[in-house]
C-alpha cells in the first residue's frame, strides 16, 4: 500500500471528523434563513413552543418564530409554552425542509 | 405533444452527450437544475420534460464509457469498466472496449421488457417485506464482495476507510456530496497514479465493427448474468449497476470482453428499471427517477410505456453517435501525450468540485483520492470503495 496515500487518507478523515464534530452551529432568527443553507447544516434556534404534537410517530414542535422542529429524543413532558433552545440539523427531502433536533434545553 | 416529446428527446441526447463526455458532471446535477428552474419551462408539458430526463439519462449511460476508457475518469456506474478497459487501452484496442459496452447496452434494451413486466407484477407485493431486510441485504452483499477478494483483510481495511468517508461526507453540509466522493475514489486516484507511472500505451486502432462485435457465447453469458443481478440491484439504494455487474460475474464467470458486455447491459437495465420502480412502488432510486417522480406525480402506465419507448429510441440513436465520438476520441488521444492529458483532467475535476461543492468538497476529493490510491496500490478490488455508498444507506435504513 502507498504509505503517503494512507497518511493523507487518515489525515483527511481526521480533518473531516473534526469539522463535523466541532463546527459551531449557525444561529437562526427566521425560517427564511434556511433557504441559504445546505442540508446537514447545524443550526441553533430559540423560541417559545406554541404547539407540541405527535405526527406519524414523531414529535413536532412549532415555535413562536415559525420554526418547526422534529424531535425523536426530546424530554417527555409537554413543552408547550416553554422557552427552548435547540441545536438541530437541516434536512431536505422531497422538497420539504425540516430541522432534526440533536440537543434541546429548556430555558428558565 | 408528439413534436414536444421528439424535441425533448433530441435535447436530452444532446445534454446526455455533454454530461457523458464531461468527467464529473452527473445527470443528477442537470436533473436537479431542471427541477429548480421548472418555472422557466412552464409552457412545456411535464411528459416532454420527463422524456428529456429519460433521453439524457440513457445517453449519459452510453456515452460516459468514453471518458472512462480514454481518460480513466469513471463515474459510479462505470468504474468497474476501468480494469478490463485499461488492458484494452494498453493494447491499443480501446475502440473494441467501447463497442462491447455499446453492444451490452443493446442487450440490456432487449432484456428490459421481461424484467420490467416482472417488476410490475411482483415488486409492489415484495417491496414492503424487502424494506425491513434491506440493510441486512446491503451488508450481506458487501461482505460477499469483501470475502471474494484475494486479500480479504486488506479489503476489510479499505472497505472501512471508504465506509467512514461516506458516513462523514453524507453528514457534512456540502453541496453535491457524490461529486467529490466518487470523483476522488474512482477518478482522480486512477489519474494520479497514471500520471506518476504513465502506462506504456500502444497506438489506438480503429478496428472494423464486425471484428469487435461480441460472439453468441459472450452475449449468452452476459445476458444470463444480467438477468440474475440487475433485477436485484435496480431498486436497492446504495447498490449500483457496478454491484450488479460484479454479482453477475461472480455467478457466471466472465472474461474481459463479456464483462464489458455485462456492464453495458446492466447500466441500461438499472437506469431504465429505476423509472419502472417509480411507477410500481413510487420510490425513486436514482436522481433521474426522482426528477420523473416530481414531474409526473400521478405516473400512469401509458406515460411509463411512452418513457420506455423514448429509452429504446434513445439507445438506438445514441449507438451510432457513441461510435462516432469514439472515433474522434481516438484521433485526439493518439495526438496528445498521456501525462499532460491526465494532469489536465485532474485539474478540471478539481475545478468542477470547487465550483459545485466548495472548499469542503475539495477536502473530500483529496481524502477520497488518497483512499482510492490506497485501494489500487494494495491491489484490492475497487468495488470495495462502494462502501462509501452502501454503509450510509444501510445505517439510514437501520435508524429510520
Amino acid at each position: 500500500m502507498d504509505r503517503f496515500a494512507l497518511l493523507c487518507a487518515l489525515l483527511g478523515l481526521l480533518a473531516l471528523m473534526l469539522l463535523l464534530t466541532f463546527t459551531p452551529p449557525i444561529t437562526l432568527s427566521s425560517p427564511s434563513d434556511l433557504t441559504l443553507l445546505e442540508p446537514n447544516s447545524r443550526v441553533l434556534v430559540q423560541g417559545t413552543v406554541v404547539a407540541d404534537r405527535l405526527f406519524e410517530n414523531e414529535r413536532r414542535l412549532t415555535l413562536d418564530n415559525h420554526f418547526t422542529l422534529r424531535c425523536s429524543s426530546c424530554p417527555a413532558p409537554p413543552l408547550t409554552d416553554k422557552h427552548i433552545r435547540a441545536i438541530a440539523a437541516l434536512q431536505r427531502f422531497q422538497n420539504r425542509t425540516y430541522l432534526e433536533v440533536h440537543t434541546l434545553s429548556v430555558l428558565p | 405533444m408528439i413534436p414536444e416529446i421528439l424535441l425533448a428527446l433530441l435535447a436530452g441526447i444532446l445534454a446526455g452527450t455533454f454530461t457523458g463526455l464531461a468527467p464529473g458532471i452527473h445527470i443528477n446535477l442537470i436533473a436537479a437544475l431542471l427541477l429548480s428552474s421548472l418555472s422557466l419551462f412552464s409552457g412545456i408539458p411535464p411528459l416532454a420534460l420527463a422524456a428529456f430526463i429519460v433521453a439524457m439519462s440513457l445517453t449519459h449511460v452510453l456515452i460516459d464509457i468514453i471518458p472512462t476508457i480514454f481518460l480513466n475518469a469513471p463515474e459510479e456506474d462505470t468504474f468497474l469498466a476501468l480494469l478490463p478497459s485499461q488492458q484494452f487501452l494498453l493494447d491499443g484496442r480501446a475502440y473494441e472496449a467501447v463497442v462491447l459496452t455499446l453492444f451490452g447496452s443493446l442487450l440490456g434494451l432487449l432484456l428490459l421488457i421481461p424484467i420490467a413486466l416482472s417488476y410490475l407484477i411482483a415488486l409492489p407485493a415484495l417491496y414492503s417485506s424487502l424494506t425491513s431486510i434491506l440493510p441486512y441485504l446491503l451488508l450481506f452483499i458487501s461482505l460477499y464482495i469483501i470475502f471474494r477478494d484475494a486479500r480479504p483483510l486488506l479489503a476489510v481495511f479499505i472497505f472501512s476507510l471508504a465506509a467512514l468517508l461516506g458516513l462523514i461526507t453524507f453528514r457534512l453540509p456540502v453541496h453535491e456530496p457524490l461529486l467529490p466522493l466518487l470523483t476522488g475514489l474512482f477518478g482522480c486516484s486512477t489519474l494520479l497514479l497514471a500520471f506518476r507511472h504513465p502506462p506504456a500505451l500502444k497506438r489506438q486502432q480503429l478496428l472494423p465493427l464486425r471484428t469487435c462485435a461480441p460472439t453468441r457465447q459472450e452475449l449468452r453469458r452476459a445476458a444470463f448474468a444480467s438477468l440474475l443481478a440487475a433485477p436485484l440491484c435496480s431498486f436497492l439504494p446504495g447498490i449500483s449497476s457496478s454491484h450488479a455487474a460484479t454479482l453477475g460475474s461472480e455467478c457466471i464467470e466472465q472474461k474481459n470482453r463479456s464483462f464489458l458486455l455485462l456492464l453495458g447491459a446492466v447500466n441500461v437495465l438499472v437506469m431504465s428499471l429505476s423509472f419502472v420502480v417509480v411507477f410500481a412502488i413510487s420510490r425513486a432510486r436514482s436522481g433521474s427517477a426522482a426528477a420523473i417522480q416530481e414531474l409526473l406525480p400521478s405516473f400512469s402506465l401509458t406515460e411509463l410505456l411512452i418513457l420506455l419507448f423514448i429509452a429504446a429510441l434513445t439507445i438506438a440513436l445514441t449507438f451510432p453517435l457513441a461510435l462516432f465520438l469514439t472515433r474522434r476520441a481516438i484521433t485526439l488521444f493518439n495526438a496528445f501525450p498521456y501525462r499532460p492529458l491526465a494532469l489536465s483532467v485532474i485539474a478540471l475535476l478539481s475545478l468542477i468540485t470547487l465550483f459545485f461543492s466548495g472548499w469542503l468538497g475539495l477536502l473530500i476529493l483529496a481524502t477520497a483520492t488518497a483512499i482510492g490510491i490506497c485501494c489500487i496500490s494494495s491491489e484490492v478490488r475497487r468495488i470495495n470503495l462502494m462502501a462509501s455508498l452502501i454503509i450510509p444507506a444501510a445505517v439510514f435504513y437501520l435508524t429510520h
Side-chain angles (χ1 to χ4, degrees):
Chain A
M1 190 180 297
D2 188 319
R3 286 179 188 174
F4 180 68
L6 179 61
L7 182 64
C8 290
L10 293 173
L11 286 174
L13 284 170
L14 181 64
L16 289 169
M17 272 195 287
L18 289 173
L19 279 169
L20 182 66
T21 313
F22 296 111
T23 303
I26 302 163
T27 304
L28 298 181
S29 52
S30 157
S32 59
D33 297 337
L34 293 172
T35 54
L36 303 170
L37 299 175
E38 290 296 332
N40 295 323
S41 297
R42 284 177 76 227
V43 299
L44 188 142
V45 297
Q46 212 167 272
T48 305
V49 178
V50 298
D52 181 347
R53 286 184 295 242
L54 208 58
F55 183 77
E56 291 177 351
N57 294 327
E58 203 173 51
R59 198 161 164 198
R60 290 199 187 173
L61 307 173
T62 308
L63 304 185
D64 56 348
N65 46 19
H66 308 293
F67 282 111
T68 302
L69 309 175
R70 284 194 186 185
C71 201
S72 51
S73 56
C74 287
L79 294 168
T80 313
D81 296 328
K82 299 271 197 269
H83 194 69
I84 62 162
R85 176 194 288 157
I87 294 177
L90 174 66
Q91 303 293 337
R92 279 203 188 98
F93 184 67
Q94 292 184 335
N95 281 337
R96 284 181 293 180
T97 300
Y98 56 93
L99 297 173
E100 187 79 45
V101 171
H102 288 169
T103 59
L104 186 143
S105 50
V106 180
L107 300 173
Chain B
M1 177 80 93
I2 292 176
E4 284 102 332
I5 289 179
L6 289 174
L7 274 171
L9 166 73
L10 292 173
I13 290 176
L14 198 62
T17 303
F18 167 70
T19 61
L21 288 176
I25 305 287
H26 288 265
I27 40 177
N28 292 349
L29 269 171
I30 310 295
L33 280 170
L34 178 74
L35 286 181
S36 63
S37 50
L38 262 182
S39 55
L40 298 172
F41 303 102
S42 56
I44 301 173
L47 186 59
L49 290 174
F52 169 81
I53 300 278
V54 169
M56 179 181 64
S57 306
L58 271 299
T59 304
H60 178 97
V61 162
L62 267 69
I63 299 285
D64 76 353
I65 196 66
I66 298 173
T68 297
I69 289 172
F70 286 97
L71 299 178
N72 277 324
E75 294 184 359
E76 179 197 340
D77 299 331
T78 57
F79 75 90
L80 272 186
L82 262 182
L83 289 177
S85 65
Q86 253 181 342
Q87 194 54 55
F88 281 91
L89 187 76
L90 288 172
D91 293 342
R93 292 159 56 207
Y95 184 70
E96 185 179 337
V98 174
V99 166
L100 286 167
T101 317
L102 291 176
F103 270 102
S105 305
L106 291 178
L107 177 63
L109 184 60
L110 286 172
L111 296 174
L112 179 59
I113 301 299
I115 300 177
L117 279 172
S118 61
Y119 260 38
L120 290 173
I121 295 165
L123 201 54
L126 286 177
Y127 186 80
S128 52
S129 51
L130 278 172
T131 304
S132 57
I133 64 167
L134 257 175
Y136 307 103
L137 201 56
L138 289 173
L139 292 172
F140 171 76
I141 290 170
S142 305
L143 287 172
Y144 178 83
I145 288 168
I146 288 172
F147 288 106
R148 288 286 293 181
D149 202 288
R151 309 171 85 172
L153 284 178
L154 267 177
V156 167
F157 180 66
I158 297 294
F159 188 94
S160 306
L161 285 180
L164 187 58
L165 179 62
L167 285 169
I168 296 171
T169 299
F170 288 114
R171 279 165 171 72
L172 284 167
V174 61
H175 190 61
E176 297 296 334
L178 280 179
L179 173 63
L181 186 64
L182 299 182
T183 303
L185 286 172
F186 303 117
C188 286
S189 52
T190 317
L191 285 167
L192 209 50
L193 279 175
F195 177 75
R196 280 163 62 184
H197 309 287
L201 291 170
K202 287 184 185 169
R203 192 171 172 80
Q204 298 304 315
Q205 298 166 44
L206 265 176
L207 301 165
L209 202 60
R210 199 175 295 177
T211 313
C212 307
T215 62
R216 281 187 190 173
Q217 190 188 27
E218 287 167 344
L219 280 169
R220 229 178 291 128
R221 282 181 169 272
F224 281 127
S226 303
L227 281 170
L228 277 174
L232 182 64
C233 299
S234 298
F235 64 93
L236 286 175
I239 302 289
S240 71
S241 53
S242 300
H243 280 92
T246 301
L247 278 172
S249 66
E250 300 292 344
C251 298
I252 298 177
E253 198 188 330
Q254 308 283 333
K255 301 270 192 301
N256 278 350
R257 280 174 54 91
S258 55
F259 185 81
L260 288 172
L261 271 176
L262 170 63
L263 196 63
V266 161
N267 278 336
V268 162
L269 281 169
V270 169
M271 178 56 73
S272 307
L273 289 172
S274 72
F275 308 132
V276 179
V277 169
V278 169
F279 174 78
I281 56 172
S282 302
R283 302 270 169 170
R285 190 235 158 259
S286 67
S288 303
I292 303 276
Q293 198 175 34
E294 185 79 25
L295 288 166
L296 303 171
S298 52
F299 197 10
S300 69
L301 183 61
T302 311
E303 286 169 334
L304 175 66
L305 291 173
I306 290 171
L307 292 182
L308 290 179
F309 176 72
I310 294 290
L313 203 52
T314 302
I315 292 171
L317 291 173
T318 308
F319 187 100
L321 174 63
L323 288 177
F324 168 78
L325 289 170
T326 307
R327 285 193 285 268
R328 289 291 162 272
I330 284 174
T331 310
L332 285 171
F333 190 83
N334 283 337
F336 286 101
Y338 188 68
R339 285 188 87 201
L341 190 62
L343 194 61
S344 306
V345 175
I346 293 170
L348 177 66
L349 291 174
S350 304
L351 281 171
I352 289 170
T353 300
L354 184 62
F355 181 76
F356 284 108
S357 306
W359 293 104
L360 192 51
L362 267 187
L363 180 56
I364 295 169
L365 177 71
T367 309
T369 302
I371 294 175
I373 291 175
C374 289
C375 179
I376 299 168
S377 60
S378 53
E379 295 174 0
V380 166
R381 292 199 301 179
R382 265 173 267 189
I383 188 119
N384 289 287
L385 298 173
M386 289 302 290
S388 56
L389 299 183
I390 295 174
I391 298 301
V395 167
F396 176 82
Y397 278 93
L398 282 169
T399 54
H400 288 78

